[in-house]
Amino acid sequence: MKKLSKVIAVLLAAVMMLPVFAGVTAADEWGRPDNYATGAFPQKYGKIGADINVSTLTESLEITLTADKKTFDSGKITFTLNVRGGEEGLAVNAVGVIPVYNTYILSAVSEGNPETADSRLIGGFSFEKKPVLEASKWTENMDAYAVAAAWRSTDPLYIPENTNRDFYSFSLMPKNNAKGPSEIQAYVTFKYGELEFSRLVGITIGGNDRRITSASVTVGNDLTLKVKAVLGELTEAPYMLFNVEGTGSGIVVGTFRNGFWEFDFDGIGYEQMTDKIGFTLFANGAAVDSRNGFTIKNYAEVLLGSGADDDAKVLAGRMLMYGAEVQKALGYKTDRLATEGVGELSDEELFKEIEAPERRGGKNEGEEATVIRGSTFDLLGGFEFGFDVAAAGEDIRVSYEETGEELDFTVSEGEENATVTTASVGILGIDKMIVFENGGGNTVSMSGADYIVEVWDSETEGELAKALYALCLAALQCKGLGG
């Protein structure tokens, strides 16, 4: 028995020393993942400078790792290793496993004093042929649990050809502050004498069932951050807490669409593209995922550098250009403009110089009592018309010329005049003609583009107007409405 015990000791050391890694993409030059032996993933395996993907035993095996659940909030999670394939039968006289996990959020389910020499990982091999010896222990110089089983060389374990069977299970317990997603790995070795087959396999948990999946931005009267998430079973509607740098927070209750929970946070000003935004997903009253430091500028930069189509890139770039002009006009954080450092904006093919629109509107003079004295258009994100009138008529009407659809408006009475302010027409409505009727024959037809023509060469508003019109054209093009 002493000889067999020595076999196990050697085997445990060998499992730790083998150099192999597979199934994790971010790795060093020898194939070990970036989280190898870090503070969060202290488990050590593999020998420095060795080749990876050891397969002197066979090329035809596949090892996979599965979990009985993928969330952190309902007790221990059990992981199972499976061996598949094998074009021919395979003889094995040793098997070893080292679980690899983030010790900040998970702990091994073990017996004895945790992470000490007398501690052992709870789990077991389930091959049909019982091993001569089976061992599990915490190894201090590895900072890891290692398990191993051994069969006599003269009477090895035989894995039949084309096998597909579970062969080892172990469990991890999420800690109170566990949040995902997190990668769980297992370093697996099969040996027969000097021949070996080793792989590092992994699975992501704490993220696939309850996680934020994407964030995007849409343009309109203002900017809307649209966040999608996937969630498991719920006892109440999920919600998301948004925090915008310098402007406070807001809560959005989710809406379920096409398999995702969606959270639309609007009211973000065009001048706020460099403001940091954080958002936290809550489900069943608990925070389950979050993102911090999101900016609309970074989102647009990623889009500009991606494989997206040109229309989407132009819209992202024009959004940044307009946002920077709004910052300048408002004096808002001009030390970090939305366009700063975005080299893609110099692409003359994508961002061609635009021409001024043609004026199409006009005014009909009517009764002096309700005469229209002037008109304005908000270039800074309000996208609303203002009409200065001698007095508000009794039958004011504001409508789109093409469809007749009416716009809401408000009236502000002054001592010598009145102001009629329309509802916003949004980015997509800047080029649409509206008709303002103030009674007594006083009528104005105009568009936001008409006002942009007026200030095109203005020293104070010209660059802002040009940037807005370019954004309008890009948005129309993306919507398939451009000419």
Side-chain angles (χ1 to χ4, degrees):
M1 291 299 290
K2 289 184 178 180
K3 184 177 181 180
L4 289 176
S5 297
K6 184 177 181 181
V7 169
I8 290 296
V10 171
L11 175 59
L12 287 170
V15 170
M16 182 271 285
M17 292 293 289
L18 289 179
V20 190
F21 147 78
V24 180
T25 55
D28 65 17
E29 62 184 299
W30 299 297
R32 292 185 300 271
D34 286 344
N35 59 31
Y36 176 80
T38 64
F41 291 80
Q43 301 87 359
K44 299 175 184 176
Y45 51 87
K47 55 188 178 184
I48 295 176
D51 294 334
I52 66 172
N53 294 326
V54 175
S55 55
T56 57
L57 179 62
T58 178
E59 293 280 358
S60 58
L61 288 186
E62 291 182 16
I63 309 296
T64 57
L65 181 66
T66 60
D68 64 345
K69 55 194 172 194
K70 292 187 177 181
T71 60
F72 287 131
D73 56 359
S74 54
K76 73 176 182 179
I77 305 170
T78 299
F79 299 86
T80 302
L81 285 161
N82 179 278
V83 57
R84 299 179 185 178
E87 297 173 356
E88 301 175 354
L90 184 67
V92 173
N93 71 333
V95 179
V97 176
I98 297 177
V100 181
Y101 52 93
N102 187 324
T103 56
Y104 291 165
I105 62 175
L106 294 157
S107 56
V109 178
S110 59
E111 292 179 339
N113 189 9
E115 300 183 356
T116 61
D118 64 348
S119 177
R120 64 178 295 272
L121 190 68
I122 295 176
F125 290 96
S126 54
F127 292 112
E128 292 180 358
K129 184 180 180 67
K130 188 175 180 180
V132 176
L133 281 178
E134 184 175 343
S136 168
K137 64 178 296 186
W138 172 264
T139 306
E140 187 172 352
N141 66 342
M142 292 165 51
D143 287 324
Y145 285 97
V147 296
W151 295 261
R152 295 181 187 274
S153 331
T154 55
D155 186 21
L157 167 71
Y158 187 73
I159 300 176
E161 63 193 276
N162 299 318
T163 188
N164 184 354
R165 65 176 54 170
D166 298 336
F167 67 90
Y168 186 78
S169 295
F170 63 94
S171 297
L172 300 176
M173 180 65 73
K175 296 181 179 179
N176 291 336
N177 61 345
K179 292 183 180 180
S182 183
E183 180 82 354
I184 310 303
Q185 300 149 5
Y187 189 64
V188 183
T189 299
F190 287 82
K191 291 180 67 73
Y192 186 69
E194 296 298 317
L195 302 176
E196 64 185 66
F197 175 89
S198 299
R199 290 290 185 271
L200 181 71
V201 294
I203 185 173
T204 299
I205 63 168
N208 288 343
D209 293 336
R210 310 177 79 177
R211 62 188 172 94
I212 294 168
T213 59
S214 65
S216 59
V217 176
T218 59
V219 298
N221 299 350
D222 45 36
L223 297 169
T224 298
L225 176 56
K226 303 174 76 70
V227 181
K228 288 185 177 182
V230 292
L231 292 164
E233 294 183 4
L234 297 170
T235 57
E236 57 189 40
Y239 64 91
M240 188 164 285
L241 174 64
F242 291 87
N243 285 285
V244 183
E245 178 185 353
T247 60
S249 60
I251 291 175
V252 176
V253 177
T255 301
F256 192 74
R257 302 187 188 103
N258 301 319
F260 292 90
W261 285 95
E262 297 184 2
F263 306 84
D264 295 353
F265 183 68
D266 58 15
I268 304 169
Y270 283 92
E271 73 278 6
Q272 293 181 277
M273 291 185 188
T274 60
D275 286 2
K276 293 180 181 179
I277 304 172
F279 38 100
T280 303
L281 174 64
F282 289 82
N284 295 334
V288 296
D289 200 2
S290 64
R291 299 290 185 273
N292 292 302
F294 178 94
T295 70
I296 293 171
K297 177 185 178 180
N298 288 344
Y299 167 79
E301 285 183 292
V302 170
L303 192 57
L304 283 167
S306 72
D309 61 49
D310 286 353
D311 286 347
K313 290 183 177 181
V314 170
L315 180 58
R318 294 299 187 187
M319 182 175 67
L320 292 176
M321 293 175 183
Y322 173 63
E325 292 301 327
V326 176
Q327 285 180 268
K328 294 174 188 176
L330 296 176
Y332 184 83
K333 297 181 180 177
T334 54
D335 58 330
R336 47 171 168 159
L337 293 175
T339 52
E340 185 178 343
V342 187
E344 290 86 352
L345 299 181
S346 62
D347 186 338
E348 295 180 359
E349 288 298 314
L350 286 177
F351 303 105
K352 300 174 183 177
E353 188 173 347
I354 62 168
E355 297 181 356
E358 294 183 2
R359 177 185 291 277
R360 294 176 294 154
K363 181 169 68 173
N364 294 325
E365 297 293 345
E367 294 180 0
E368 185 66 26
T370 54
V371 67
I372 301 169
R373 294 173 172 169
S375 57
T376 61
F377 182 75
D378 186 357
L379 301 172
L380 290 171
F383 311 135
E384 57 195 24
F385 296 91
F387 297 97
D388 179 20
V389 298
E394 294 182 1
D395 299 310
I396 298 175
R397 185 174 185 268
V398 187
S399 60
Y400 286 107
E401 186 176 70
E402 185 177 356
T403 64
E405 178 189 356
E406 295 192 14
L407 279 77
D408 291 334
F409 61 88
T410 59
V411 178
S412 176
E413 297 280 3
E415 292 183 4
E416 298 181 356
N417 64 350
T419 301
V420 178
T421 304
T422 73
S424 176
V425 296
I427 285 287
L428 298 178
I430 289 175
D431 212 31
K432 293 181 179 179
M433 295 295 295
I434 70 158
V435 179
F436 169 55
E437 301 169 83
N438 193 37
N442 290 288
T443 302
V444 167
S445 59
M446 70 175 295
S447 67
D450 285 330
Y451 181 80
I452 287 172
V453 175
E454 290 183 20
V455 298
W456 191 263
D457 295 319
S458 165
E459 291 184 4
T460 56
E461 294 183 280
E463 294 305 314
L464 177 64
K466 292 171 186 175
L468 174 57
Y469 191 60
L471 176 59
C472 169
L473 295 180
L476 289 170
Q477 184 67 29
C478 260
K479 286 283 188 180
L481 303 173

